[in-house]
Amino acid sequence: MLDKLHEDINKLKKLETIRSEFLGNVSHELRTPIFAVQGMLETLLHGALDDPEVSKDFINRALANTQRLNTLLNDLIEISRIESGDMKMSFRYFPLKDLLRQVVTEMEPSAEQKGIKLELISNHDNIDVYGDKDRIKQALINLVDNAIKYNKQQGKVTVSSQDAEKEAIISVEDTGVGIDAVHIPRIFERFYRVDKERSREAGGTGLGLAIVKHIVEAHGSRVEVQSKKGQGSKFSFRLKK
Ligand SMILES: Nc1ncnc2c1ncn2[C@@H]1O[C@H](COP(=O)(O)OP(=O)(O)OP(=O)(O)O)[C@@H](O)[C@H]1O
Ligand SMILES: [Mg+2]
Protein backbone atom coordinates (compact mmCIF):
# COMPACT_ATOMS: atom_id res chain seq x y z
CA MET A 1 0.00 0.00 0.00
CA LEU A 2 2.70 2.43 1.06
CA ASP A 3 4.92 1.27 -1.80
CA LYS A 4 2.12 1.91 -4.25
CA LEU A 5 1.64 5.39 -2.83
CA HIS A 6 5.36 6.15 -3.20
CA GLU A 7 5.26 4.88 -6.73
CA ASP A 8 2.27 7.11 -7.57
CA ILE A 9 3.94 10.15 -6.00
CA ASN A 10 7.10 9.50 -8.02
CA LYS A 11 5.07 9.19 -11.20
CA LEU A 12 3.33 12.50 -10.50
CA LYS A 13 6.66 14.17 -9.76
CA LYS A 14 8.05 12.91 -13.06
CA LEU A 15 4.99 14.20 -14.94
CA GLU A 16 5.36 17.56 -13.23
CA THR A 17 9.02 17.74 -14.32
CA ILE A 18 8.10 16.86 -17.90
CA ARG A 19 5.36 19.51 -17.84
CA SER A 20 7.59 22.28 -16.55
CA GLU A 21 10.40 21.32 -18.96
CA PHE A 22 7.88 21.49 -21.77
CA LEU A 23 6.69 24.95 -20.71
CA GLY A 24 10.30 26.09 -20.40
CA ASN A 25 11.07 24.88 -23.92
CA VAL A 26 7.94 26.45 -25.37
CA SER A 27 8.63 29.81 -23.74
CA HIS A 28 12.20 29.77 -24.96
CA GLU A 29 11.22 28.88 -28.52
CA LEU A 30 8.55 31.60 -28.57
CA ARG A 31 10.82 34.20 -27.07
CA THR A 32 13.50 33.95 -29.78
CA PRO A 33 11.36 35.05 -32.77
CA ILE A 34 9.32 37.51 -30.68
CA PHE A 35 12.50 39.28 -29.52
CA ALA A 36 13.78 39.30 -33.08
CA VAL A 37 10.59 40.99 -34.36
CA GLN A 38 10.63 43.43 -31.47
CA GLY A 39 14.26 44.37 -32.13
CA MET A 40 13.61 44.93 -35.82
CA LEU A 41 10.55 47.09 -35.23
CA GLU A 42 12.44 49.21 -32.68
CA THR A 43 15.35 49.69 -35.09
CA LEU A 44 12.91 50.76 -37.80
CA LEU A 45 11.24 53.21 -35.44
CA HIS A 46 14.58 54.66 -34.37
CA GLY A 47 15.61 55.75 -37.82
CA ALA A 48 16.02 52.74 -40.11
CA LEU A 49 12.65 53.59 -41.68
CA ASP A 50 14.30 56.53 -43.46
CA ASP A 51 16.52 54.18 -45.43
CA PRO A 52 14.34 52.26 -47.91
CA GLU A 53 16.96 49.51 -48.50
CA VAL A 54 17.50 48.80 -44.82
CA SER A 55 13.85 49.05 -43.91
CA LYS A 56 12.84 46.54 -46.59
CA ASP A 57 15.43 44.10 -45.31
CA PHE A 58 14.24 44.50 -41.72
CA ILE A 59 10.60 44.09 -42.65
CA ASN A 60 11.41 40.90 -44.58
CA ARG A 61 13.31 39.52 -41.62
CA ALA A 62 10.49 40.39 -39.23
CA LEU A 63 8.06 38.64 -41.57
CA ALA A 64 10.24 35.50 -41.63
CA ASN A 65 10.16 35.47 -37.84
CA THR A 66 6.39 35.76 -37.69
CA GLN A 67 6.17 32.87 -40.16
CA ARG A 68 8.38 30.83 -37.86
CA LEU A 69 6.11 31.69 -34.92
CA ASN A 70 3.13 30.51 -36.95
CA THR A 71 4.77 27.16 -37.79
CA LEU A 72 5.78 26.70 -34.18
CA LEU A 73 2.25 27.35 -32.92
CA ASN A 74 0.77 24.96 -35.49
CA ASP A 75 3.19 22.23 -34.38
CA LEU A 76 2.37 22.87 -30.73
CA ILE A 77 -1.37 22.64 -31.40
CA GLU A 78 -0.75 19.40 -33.28
CA ILE A 79 1.34 17.92 -30.44
CA SER A 80 -1.22 18.86 -27.80
CA ARG A 81 -4.05 17.38 -29.89
CA ILE A 82 -2.10 14.15 -30.27
CA GLU A 83 -1.21 13.92 -26.61
CA SER A 84 -4.65 14.71 -25.27
CA GLY A 85 -6.07 12.03 -27.57
CA ASP A 86 -8.01 14.70 -29.45
CA MET A 87 -6.47 13.87 -32.81
CA LYS A 88 -9.22 12.10 -34.66
CA MET A 89 -7.84 9.58 -37.08
CA SER A 90 -9.77 8.59 -40.12
CA PHE A 91 -8.60 5.21 -41.41
CA ARG A 92 -9.34 4.21 -44.99
CA TYR A 93 -7.70 2.40 -47.87
CA PHE A 94 -5.89 4.80 -50.19
CA PRO A 95 -3.53 4.42 -53.17
CA LEU A 96 0.01 4.74 -51.85
CA LYS A 97 1.79 5.87 -54.99
CA ASP A 98 -0.61 8.78 -55.51
CA LEU A 99 0.14 10.03 -52.02
CA LEU A 100 3.91 9.68 -52.45
CA ARG A 101 3.69 11.61 -55.74
CA GLN A 102 1.76 14.40 -53.96
CA VAL A 103 4.39 14.62 -51.24
CA VAL A 104 7.25 14.78 -53.75
CA THR A 105 5.45 17.42 -55.85
CA GLU A 106 4.79 19.56 -52.79
CA MET A 107 8.35 19.34 -51.51
CA GLU A 108 10.00 19.79 -54.92
CA PRO A 109 10.32 23.61 -54.67
CA SER A 110 12.14 23.53 -51.32
CA ALA A 111 14.46 20.75 -52.57
CA GLU A 112 15.20 22.73 -55.70
CA GLN A 113 15.87 25.86 -53.70
CA LYS A 114 18.63 24.01 -51.89
CA GLY A 115 19.97 22.33 -55.03
CA ILE A 116 18.86 18.89 -53.87
CA LYS A 117 17.57 16.16 -56.13
CA LEU A 118 14.30 14.66 -54.90
CA GLU A 119 13.15 11.38 -56.42
CA LEU A 120 10.50 8.73 -56.02
CA ILE A 121 11.14 5.00 -56.44
CA SER A 122 8.65 2.18 -56.03
CA ASN A 123 8.76 -1.43 -57.12
CA HIS A 124 5.02 -2.01 -57.40
CA ASP A 125 1.71 -0.88 -58.89
CA ASN A 126 -0.46 1.67 -57.18
CA ILE A 127 -1.31 -0.61 -54.20
CA ASP A 128 -3.83 0.45 -51.56
CA VAL A 129 -2.65 0.81 -47.98
CA TYR A 130 -4.72 1.31 -44.84
CA GLY A 131 -4.33 4.48 -42.81
CA ASP A 132 -5.17 8.12 -42.32
CA LYS A 133 -3.99 9.57 -45.60
CA ASP A 134 -3.69 13.18 -44.44
CA ARG A 135 -1.72 12.26 -41.32
CA ILE A 136 0.59 9.95 -43.25
CA LYS A 137 1.14 12.77 -45.71
CA GLN A 138 2.04 15.08 -42.86
CA ALA A 139 4.49 12.53 -41.42
CA LEU A 140 6.12 12.09 -44.82
CA ILE A 141 6.38 15.84 -45.35
CA ASN A 142 8.14 16.18 -41.98
CA LEU A 143 10.59 13.40 -42.94
CA VAL A 144 11.29 14.85 -46.39
CA ASP A 145 11.67 18.32 -44.85
CA ASN A 146 14.40 16.95 -42.56
CA ALA A 147 16.03 15.01 -45.39
CA ILE A 148 16.32 18.27 -47.35
CA LYS A 149 17.28 20.43 -44.38
CA TYR A 150 20.03 18.18 -43.06
CA ASN A 151 21.47 17.35 -46.47
CA LYS A 152 24.65 18.42 -48.20
CA GLN A 153 25.14 20.62 -51.24
CA GLN A 154 24.06 18.76 -54.38
CA GLY A 155 22.63 16.04 -52.15
CA LYS A 156 19.86 13.62 -52.92
CA VAL A 157 16.60 12.61 -51.23
CA THR A 158 14.85 9.40 -52.20
CA VAL A 159 11.28 8.61 -51.21
CA SER A 160 10.59 4.94 -51.83
CA SER A 161 7.96 2.30 -51.29
CA GLN A 162 8.28 -1.43 -51.37
CA ASP A 163 5.60 -4.10 -51.58
CA ALA A 164 6.22 -6.60 -48.77
CA GLU A 165 3.45 -9.25 -48.64
CA LYS A 166 0.88 -7.87 -46.21
CA GLU A 167 2.53 -4.49 -45.84
CA ALA A 168 4.18 -1.68 -47.73
CA ILE A 169 7.49 -0.29 -46.51
CA ILE A 170 7.86 3.44 -46.99
CA SER A 171 11.25 5.12 -46.68
CA VAL A 172 12.80 8.55 -46.90
CA GLU A 173 16.55 8.42 -47.47
CA ASP A 174 19.06 11.25 -47.71
CA THR A 175 22.73 11.77 -48.45
CA GLY A 176 23.09 14.29 -45.64
CA VAL A 177 25.00 14.86 -42.43
CA GLY A 178 23.81 11.66 -40.76
CA ILE A 179 23.05 11.16 -37.07
CA ASP A 180 25.46 9.81 -34.50
CA ALA A 181 24.21 6.55 -32.92
CA VAL A 182 24.09 8.13 -29.43
CA HIS A 183 21.50 10.67 -30.60
CA ILE A 184 19.20 8.29 -32.46
CA PRO A 185 17.15 7.17 -29.43
CA ARG A 186 16.50 10.82 -28.54
CA ILE A 187 15.63 12.51 -31.84
CA PHE A 188 11.92 11.64 -31.46
CA GLU A 189 11.65 13.57 -28.18
CA ARG A 190 9.91 16.92 -28.30
CA PHE A 191 12.38 19.79 -28.84
CA TYR A 192 15.40 17.47 -29.13
CA ARG A 193 17.91 18.65 -31.72
CA VAL A 194 21.31 17.16 -32.34
CA ASP A 195 22.89 20.45 -33.24
CA LYS A 196 20.78 23.27 -31.80
CA GLU A 197 22.51 26.03 -33.74
CA ARG A 198 22.34 24.27 -37.06
CA SER A 199 18.67 23.34 -36.58
CA ARG A 200 17.68 26.80 -35.50
CA GLU A 201 19.40 28.31 -38.52
CA ALA A 202 17.42 25.85 -40.62
CA GLY A 203 14.26 27.04 -38.86
CA GLY A 204 13.66 23.91 -36.80
CA THR A 205 12.19 23.58 -33.30
CA GLY A 206 12.52 19.84 -32.78
CA LEU A 207 8.84 18.95 -32.96
CA GLY A 208 8.75 17.37 -36.43
CA LEU A 209 9.88 13.86 -35.51
CA ALA A 210 7.79 13.81 -32.30
CA ILE A 211 4.74 14.32 -34.55
CA VAL A 212 5.95 11.65 -37.01
CA LYS A 213 6.39 9.13 -34.19
CA HIS A 214 2.89 9.68 -32.84
CA ILE A 215 1.28 9.37 -36.26
CA VAL A 216 3.19 6.23 -37.23
CA GLU A 217 2.54 4.57 -33.86
CA ALA A 218 -1.17 5.38 -34.13
CA HIS A 219 -1.03 3.17 -37.25
CA GLY A 220 0.37 0.27 -35.22
CA SER A 221 3.78 0.74 -36.80
CA ARG A 222 7.07 2.28 -35.72
CA VAL A 223 9.76 4.41 -37.30
CA GLU A 224 13.06 2.72 -37.99
CA VAL A 225 16.21 4.78 -38.43
CA GLN A 226 19.43 3.80 -40.10
CA SER A 227 22.12 6.43 -40.23
CA LYS A 228 25.82 6.88 -40.72
CA LYS A 229 27.40 10.11 -39.61
CA GLY A 230 28.66 12.06 -42.58
CA GLN A 231 26.92 9.77 -45.08
CA GLY A 232 23.19 10.06 -44.62
CA SER A 233 20.06 8.69 -42.97
CA LYS A 234 17.11 6.50 -43.81
CA PHE A 235 13.77 6.70 -41.97
CA SER A 236 11.24 3.91 -42.69
CA PHE A 237 7.88 2.68 -41.49
CA ARG A 238 5.31 0.10 -42.59
CA LEU A 239 1.63 0.36 -43.45
CA LYS A 240 -0.85 -2.49 -43.73
CA LYS A 241 -2.21 -3.37 -47.15
N1 LIG B 1 17.45 13.31 -42.00
C1 LIG B 1 18.17 13.78 -40.97
N2 LIG B 1 19.51 13.86 -41.05
C2 LIG B 1 20.25 14.33 -40.00
N3 LIG B 1 19.73 14.73 -38.83
C3 LIG B 1 18.39 14.66 -38.69
C4 LIG B 1 17.54 14.19 -39.75
N4 LIG B 1 16.27 14.23 -39.30
C5 LIG B 1 16.32 14.70 -38.05
N5 LIG B 1 17.58 14.97 -37.68
C6 LIG B 1 18.03 15.49 -36.36
O1 LIG B 1 16.99 15.24 -35.42
C7 LIG B 1 16.56 16.47 -34.83
C8 LIG B 1 15.07 16.40 -34.56
O2 LIG B 1 14.34 16.45 -35.78
P1 LIG B 1 12.91 17.15 -35.83
O3 LIG B 1 12.36 17.02 -37.19
O4 LIG B 1 12.11 16.62 -34.69
O5 LIG B 1 13.24 18.67 -35.47
P2 LIG B 1 13.75 19.89 -36.38
O6 LIG B 1 13.86 19.48 -37.81
O7 LIG B 1 14.98 20.44 -35.72
O8 LIG B 1 12.59 20.96 -36.20
P3 LIG B 1 11.11 20.93 -36.83
O9 LIG B 1 10.91 19.61 -37.51
O10 LIG B 1 10.22 21.11 -35.64
O11 LIG B 1 11.07 22.06 -37.79
C9 LIG B 1 16.98 17.56 -35.81
O12 LIG B 1 17.19 18.78 -35.15
C10 LIG B 1 18.28 16.99 -36.38
O13 LIG B 1 19.34 17.28 -35.51
MG1 LIG C 1 12.13 18.52 -38.71
Side-chain angles (χ1 to χ4, degrees):
M1 173 77 180
L2 213 58
D3 275 357
K4 172 89 177 66
L5 207 60
H6 274 303
E7 206 179 287
D8 285 353
I9 291 172
N10 276 336
K11 253 190 213 154
L12 282 175
K13 275 189 182 154
K14 254 189 209 143
L15 279 177
E16 183 49 35
T17 314
I18 292 174
R19 202 182 74 94
S20 59
E21 269 177 18
F22 181 67
L23 280 177
N25 277 321
V26 170
S27 323
H28 179 81
E29 292 302 329
L30 289 173
R31 199 189 287 139
T32 314
I34 289 173
F35 273 11
V37 173
Q38 199 179 9
M40 284 159 205
L41 293 180
E42 276 168 6
T43 317
L44 284 169
L45 212 55
H46 294 144
L49 258 184
D50 302 330
D51 184 333
E53 274 293 299
V54 177
S55 57
K56 197 167 175 202
D57 176 45
F58 271 63
I59 289 169
N60 272 325
R61 279 201 265 166
L63 186 65
N65 275 282
T66 58
Q67 277 155 356
R68 187 163 145 61
L69 270 174
N70 193 30
T71 312
L72 175 60
L73 285 176
N74 282 338
D75 282 352
L76 283 170
I77 291 168
E78 192 65 22
I79 288 264
S80 86
R81 264 205 207 122
I82 291 169
E83 295 192 351
S84 64
D86 248 8
M87 185 171 74
K88 305 241 178 333
M89 291 274 193
S90 146
F91 290 89
R92 287 203 181 90
Y93 279 99
F94 65 86
L96 179 59
K97 245 192 207 171
D98 290 352
L99 180 76
L100 299 183
R101 273 197 211 105
Q102 269 180 35
V103 170
V104 168
T105 309
E106 259 176 55
M107 297 306 283
E108 187 60 56
S110 60
E112 205 170 300
Q113 208 179 17
K114 289 199 66 189
I116 284 161
K117 196 168 161 229
L118 175 59
E119 65 172 19
L120 174 60
I121 299 178
S122 58
N123 70 344
H124 54 76
D125 298 330
N126 204 354
I127 47 170
D128 281 344
V129 290
Y130 191 65
D132 184 319
K133 187 173 147 218
D134 293 335
R135 300 289 176 192
I136 293 293
K137 182 175 172 187
Q138 187 188 358
L140 282 166
I141 284 178
N142 287 0
L143 291 176
V144 175
D145 179 57
N146 285 346
I148 295 171
K149 238 169 27 182
Y150 306 110
N151 218 312
K152 294 176 189 152
Q153 292 253 315
Q154 313 294 319
K156 199 168 138 184
V157 174
T158 312
V159 177
S160 63
S161 65
Q162 225 181 307
D163 193 347
E165 289 188 29
K166 291 179 176 155
E167 295 169 322
I169 307 170
I170 301 140
S171 312
V172 177
E173 189 170 3
D174 65 65
T175 55
V177 296
I179 308 160
D180 210 78
V182 292
H183 294 290
I184 290 182
R186 301 206 56 194
I187 53 173
F188 293 96
E189 290 173 19
R190 296 178 304 199
F191 298 109
Y192 190 82
R193 286 164 299 196
V194 175
D195 179 344
K196 276 202 164 38
E197 275 315 304
R198 189 196 168 95
S199 293
R200 196 165 288 141
E201 265 168 39
T205 26
L207 293 174
L209 285 179
I211 295 173
V212 172
K213 179 175 188 266
H214 278 292
I215 293 175
V216 170
E217 287 182 356
H219 284 76
S221 182
R222 68 195 173 86
V223 189
E224 280 168 43
V225 189
Q226 287 165 283
S227 188
K228 268 218 177 90
K229 204 163 160 51
Q231 291 188 19
S233 315
K234 183 175 180 179
F235 287 76
S236 323
F237 62 91
R238 293 156 185 265
L239 284 180
K240 292 185 190 77
K241 286 207 292 191

